[in-house]
């Protein structure tokens, strides 16, 4: 067993993983409920398996990772214009953000590397593949597992069928390129995504849902479709009591608890 396998076992344990994403500032700046990130992470339930954040913020948010029985630090290593919705960027060009060595020195346990394809430009697609493959190989050479994030360009304008096909094909490509796990969108036939890759698929929470019950139901449906866990950001942070919601989320994802029962147990609105 090498370092990569040890870290993967820590992240997934014997089943599904729950990761809380607070890396939105890399593309959106300060968003509601994430203005003061060090204060935000103080409200994260330490029972979650990982916290996704920007490498430059780890030193400011170290409290959630320091100590026993704490989540793993998942750091995003590349930057892609596809996430800059507010700037109306559509080219989806990926570039290096941090080197693997520098991220390790900051305290990285797991790397996240994103990939967007079908951008409308063959050279750009090829360049995005090059960034993804190189960073993945460098991580593996140092014993660091990689969560490959497949993120379609223009997903909000896609039909459910278009989104599903893009995610289904893209997720398989990410796995073929060596990702140890995949983070991507839930689709109307998510089992066709999870069932065609040999690594765990983590379902997104994506846009903020109207109620906490709906968010828990989304997580339950993703796991029922074969997901190896979830990555929730806004739906796990922009709530009255993030600590309580995340406790409920862990029970739903890991133990198959009923979302309605969890809402009652933890007093979620």
């Amino acid at each position: 067993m090498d370092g990569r396998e040890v870290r993967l076992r820590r992240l997934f344990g014997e089943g599904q993983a729950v990761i809380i994403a607070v890396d939105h500032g890399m593309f959106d700046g300060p968003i509601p409920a994430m203005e003061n990130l060090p204060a935000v992470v103080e409200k994260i339930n330490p029972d979650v398996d990982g916290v996704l954040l920007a490498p430059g913020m780890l030193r400011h948010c170290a409290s959630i990772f320091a100590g026993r029985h704490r989540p793993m630090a998942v750091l995003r290593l590349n930057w892609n214009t596809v996430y800059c919705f507010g700037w109306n960027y559509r080219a989806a060009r990926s570039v290096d953000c941090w080197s693997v060595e520098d991220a390790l020195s900051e305290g990285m346990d797991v790397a996240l590397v994103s990939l967007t394809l079908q951008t409308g430009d063959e050279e750009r697609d090829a360049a995005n593949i090059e960034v993804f493959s190189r960073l993945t190989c460098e991580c593996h050479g140092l014993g660091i597992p990689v969560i490959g994030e497949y993120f379609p360009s223009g997903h909000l304008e896609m039909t459910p069928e278009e989104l599903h096909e893009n995610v289904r094909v893209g997720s398989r490509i990410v796995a073929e390129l060596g990702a140890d796990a995949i983070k991507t969108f839930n689709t109307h036939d998510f089992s066709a995504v999870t069932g065609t890759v040999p690594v765990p698929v983590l379902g997104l929470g994506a846009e903020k849902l109207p109620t906490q019950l709906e968010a828990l139901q989304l997580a339950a449906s993703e796991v029922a479709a074969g997901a190896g866990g979830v990555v929730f950001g806004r739906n796990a942070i922009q709530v009255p009591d993030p600590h309580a919601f995340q406790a409920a989320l862990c029970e739903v994802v890991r133990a198959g608890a009923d979302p309605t029962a969890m809402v009652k147990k933890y007093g979620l609105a």
Side-chain angles (χ1 to χ4, degrees), residues 87-123:
W87 297 346
N88 296 316
Y89 286 174
R90 292 292 184 270
R93 182 186 174 213
S94 179
V95 296
D96 284 5
C97 182
W98 276 58
S99 73
V100 179
E101 291 83 359
D102 288 342
L104 271 172
S105 72
E106 291 296 308
M108 175 176 68
D109 296 307
V110 178
L112 183 138
V113 184
S114 70
L115 177 65
T116 297
L117 297 174
Q118 301 185 48
T119 65
D121 183 281
E122 292 181 25
E123 290 187 8

Side-chain angles (χ1 to χ4, degrees), residues 209-226:
L209 294 171
T211 68
Q212 294 176 82
L213 174 61
E214 289 173 270
L216 293 175
Q217 289 171 333
L218 171 61
S221 70
E222 291 175 336
V223 172

Side-chain angles (χ1 to χ4, degrees), residues 63 121 149 152 161 191 212:
S63 61
D121 183 281
E149 177 182 62
E161 292 74 21
S191 60
Q212 294 176 82

